Amino acid sequence: MKAYIKTFGCQMNENDSERIMYLLEEEGYERTYDIAASDLIVLNTCTVREKAKNRLYGHIGNLKRLKSKNKDILICIGGCTAQSMKEKIIEDFPFVDIVFGTHNIPEFPELIKKSILTNRSICSIKDNGFDPDLFKVKREYNFKAFVPITIGCNNYCSYCIVPFVRGREKSVEVKKIIRNIEGLVSRGVIEVTLLGQNVNSYGKDLNEGCTFSELLEKVSDIKRLKRIRFITSHPKDFSRSIIDIIKNRDNLVKHIHLPLQAGSNKVLKEMNRNYTREDYLNIIENIREEIPDCSITTDIIVGFPGEERYDFLETLDMVRKVRFNRAFTFIYSPREGTKASKIKDHILLEEKKKWFKELLETQNRISDEENKKFIGKKFKVLVEGKSVKDGNLLEGRMENNTIVNFKGNTGLIGKIVSVIITRAKTFYLMGDLARKNYV
Ligand code: 5AD
Ligand code: SF4
């Protein structure tokens, strides 16, 4: 039996797909990348923005066609759109067999059996939950791994659906995290990415007295672990001690993803972000002072309800001041049930699109200029596979998360090598393997 799984959205969803795949393999399914040859299809969906949600609809026609050709194929919809739309998915698309929420992954094998046995569509959505088997995954890569350290979110940024679909923030116990990473390292993993909606608030719900920076220290002490990443940081909880650890520990990458969201204090307040532009700039100044070569990336929303042109210009001003290596930019998308969706919004979408374009042009120019600074320099690169753009090249990531393409033997995949940067594009770099290699 073959299972096809497609993931939309964030790394948390990627990790969930790896958990789903683990369970499917336990049931005897083998993974396929050919949807037409599969017996079971899972779409692991995202609902953070309307566009992300609509991607489900973009695929549903194809699923219907496959199902009409072979009624035995099981069509399963999981993830955040499933969690928020519930039965509505089956009402709209009766050929869907299983709808399961983000808290229902452990019971997925049972749902499959039930659906086959009863030959009926099933929807199973729990409101909240914490899977003790969070770390049982079928990993996509054998040299790098995601490690969830918190699930859910307590911040209720006024535009965001995540706290409603992923539930309250829950931290994983320190010893479980450490034991899991030690196990991964013993099986050849050299890079881990610690995952959480707001990693900086790690541990606040536990009675272990371990803060995020203390957790980072413990993870960093694990021998043979070469690279530690973490996402996502929240400026309101970002502490000075994190900067110190990154500065002092070699295996913590010099990259911080710190979503700004908006540059105007009025908008930040309306977003319920709990920091000001001055606070944000202060953090950036501290990072730059202590770790001058740290790359900083961000998320920005354009056109939040009530945002005026002069507010947007403050965002643009922040982008120019901070000079992010990269920014993930989004036009505000109202999500039902959130506080922001009730705020009156008088700026036309056309106008927002113009602002968005301005932001993109400014940021792309900065990314370009920052990337050019890497030319001629040597960096450690973790080789991840063949290049997506050119199958004759390899692709890897520098510590700062920038993608580098270069010529090399596929035997290098999974290793850290030295690469000298030769050319810079807006979103990636080209390079040559350094003669003296292996780091
Ligand atoms: N509209 C637009 N962008 C959003 N994001 C989250 N919710 C929304 C929304 N309703 C963006 C934020 C967040 C990223 C993952 O998605 O920038 O950091
Ligand atoms: Fe959403 Fe804010 Fe939580 Fe991030 S911190 S998941 S933007 S509510």
Side-chain angles (χ1 to χ4, degrees):
M1 298 289 265
K2 295 207 161 51
Y4 172 91
I5 180 160
K6 179 156 181 72
T7 315
F8 302 91
C10 66
Q11 280 90 346
M12 202 60 90
N13 250 17
E14 283 181 41
N15 186 62
D16 282 353
S17 287
E18 292 186 342
R19 288 167 59 205
I20 294 168
M21 203 54 232
Y22 174 88
L23 294 171
L24 287 173
E25 284 201 349
E26 293 262 286
E27 294 301 309
Y29 284 90
E30 198 186 303
R31 182 160 190 180
T32 174
Y33 292 87
D34 177 6
I35 193 166
S38 61
D39 303 289
L40 181 148
I41 298 169
V42 183
L43 295 192
N44 192 7
T45 59
C46 171
T47 189
V48 77
R49 291 170 294 276
E50 191 63 26
K51 230 181 179 170
K53 192 181 117 186
N54 288 345
R55 290 186 68 188
L56 165 65
Y57 289 78
H59 281 75
I60 216 106
N62 190 28
L63 296 185
K64 191 173 179 184
R65 214 168 317 120
L66 288 167
K67 184 81 178 180
S68 65
K69 270 198 220 145
N70 174 5
K71 66 174 181 24
D72 291 333
I73 295 183
L74 279 184
I75 310 270
C76 316
I77 312 289
C80 294
T81 306
Q83 182 77 31
S84 62
M85 284 181 67
K86 304 186 173 77
E87 284 85 2
K88 179 91 173 52
I89 295 184
I90 295 174
E91 280 164 27
D92 289 354
F93 312 109
F95 58 90
V96 169
D97 296 289
I98 298 171
V99 173
F100 63 109
T102 51
H103 307 291
N104 300 71
I105 294 173
E107 57 173 295
F108 186 45
E110 286 309 310
L111 297 176
I112 294 174
K113 284 175 203 145
K114 212 160 129 192
S115 171
I116 294 174
L117 218 61
T118 61
N119 201 18
R120 295 179 70 158
S121 299
I122 305 173
C123 173
S124 189
I125 310 283
K126 259 201 274 177
D127 276 348
N128 222 337
F130 191 76
D131 182 4
D133 289 337
L134 209 53
F135 295 134
K136 286 194 178 156
V137 295
K138 168 70 187 169
R139 279 181 287 119
E140 284 260 3
Y141 297 91
N142 50 23
F143 52 88
K144 64 171 189 172
F146 295 122
V147 178
I149 62 164
T150 68
I151 62 160
C153 186
N154 282 350
N155 294 301
Y156 288 96
C157 300
S158 63
Y159 51 81
C160 187
I161 193 86
V162 169
F164 300 95
V165 289
R166 291 274 175 179
R168 298 298 73 70
E169 182 179 279
K170 286 178 248 31
S171 305
V172 184
E173 290 158 46
V174 183
K175 64 172 188 300
K176 280 195 185 150
I177 296 173
I178 300 297
R179 209 186 304 137
N180 175 47
I181 301 179
E182 283 172 346
L184 288 168
V185 171
S186 73
R187 276 172 269 136
V189 166
I190 56 172
E191 176 184 291
V192 294
T193 303
L194 309 179
L195 293 181
Q197 305 296 346
N198 171 4
V199 287
N200 308 98
S201 66
Y202 171 80
K204 286 186 181 161
D205 57 321
L206 297 174
N207 277 330
E208 300 192 306
C210 180
T211 62
F212 178 57
S213 25
E214 285 160 352
L215 176 71
L216 276 182
E217 245 168 11
K218 289 190 198 331
V219 175
S220 166
D221 283 339
I222 296 175
K223 293 210 172 58
R224 288 182 290 133
L225 181 57
K226 300 257 172 62
R227 281 183 171 187
I228 302 153
R229 303 185 177 282
F230 55 87
I231 39 173
T232 291
S233 293
H234 194 308
K236 86 177 161 71
D237 296 314
F238 194 88
S239 71
R240 184 84 206 210
S241 52
I242 295 168
I243 301 177
D244 292 337
I245 298 173
I246 296 179
K247 185 181 167 182
N248 296 325
R249 302 282 185 131
D250 272 349
N251 57 1
L252 269 160
V253 298
K254 294 186 170 56
H255 170 223
I256 298 170
H257 183 66
L258 195 65
L260 167 67
Q261 310 298 8
S264 138
N265 283 340
K266 183 192 92 188
V267 174
L268 284 172
K269 192 153 194 283
E270 288 286 314
M271 286 179 162
N272 192 29
R273 290 290 288 175
N274 281 302
Y275 56 85
T276 62
R277 58 187 275 123
E278 292 76 20
D279 296 333
Y280 192 93
L281 285 172
N282 211 358
I283 299 174
I284 300 297
E285 200 179 313
N286 288 337
I287 298 173
R288 300 267 197 242
E289 222 164 74
E290 298 295 328
I291 324 165
D293 52 344
C294 190
S295 92
I296 300 171
T297 55
T298 201
D299 293 346
I300 295 173
I301 298 175
V302 170
F304 184 81
E307 183 174 273
E308 304 286 347
R309 171 84 189 158
Y310 57 81
D311 294 309
F312 167 71
L313 290 177
E314 293 215 79
T315 298
L316 217 48
D317 178 61
M318 284 293 273
V319 165
R320 291 199 188 99
K321 280 203 169 87
V322 178
R323 294 187 65 81
F324 297 107
N325 291 76
R326 189 162 180 192
F328 299 88
T329 50
F330 313 101
I331 292 184
Y332 168 74
S333 164
R335 311 310 295 130
E336 210 182 307
T338 60
K339 211 168 152 207
S341 67
K342 297 177 191 86
I343 305 175
K344 227 176 117 210
D345 192 358
H346 63 280
I347 304 283
L348 294 175
L349 184 60
E350 281 317 301
E351 183 67 11
K352 292 184 182 184
K353 282 186 179 162
K354 274 191 216 152
W355 300 356
F356 182 77
K357 197 163 161 264
E358 257 178 282
L359 173 66
L360 213 60
E361 281 167 4
T362 306
Q363 179 54 47
N364 284 352
R365 183 178 46 73
I366 293 168
S367 293
D368 232 27
E369 288 166 5
E370 289 303 315
N371 275 350
K372 286 209 169 74
K373 291 183 187 165
F374 297 131
I375 294 176
K377 294 190 179 138
K378 191 162 82 172
F379 293 94
K380 291 180 192 173
V381 171
L382 170 55
V383 189
E384 297 197 340
K386 284 187 181 174
S387 161
V388 183
K389 292 171 199 81
D390 178 350
N392 295 318
L393 299 177
L394 293 177
E395 182 168 294
R397 272 172 208 272
M398 300 191 341
E399 266 197 33
N400 73 10
N401 215 25
T402 310
I403 289 175
V404 187
N405 284 351
F406 54 97
K407 259 199 205 124
N409 193 303
T410 47
L412 294 176
I413 293 171
K415 301 206 162 69
I416 295 180
V417 297
S418 288
V419 175
I420 298 169
I421 305 305
T422 52
R423 266 189 295 156
K425 313 264 180 183
T426 308
F427 300 119
Y428 68 101
L429 304 171
M430 302 290 295
D432 288 330
L433 272 174
R435 211 163 290 160
K436 254 185 139 189
N437 228 304
Y438 296 105
V439 202

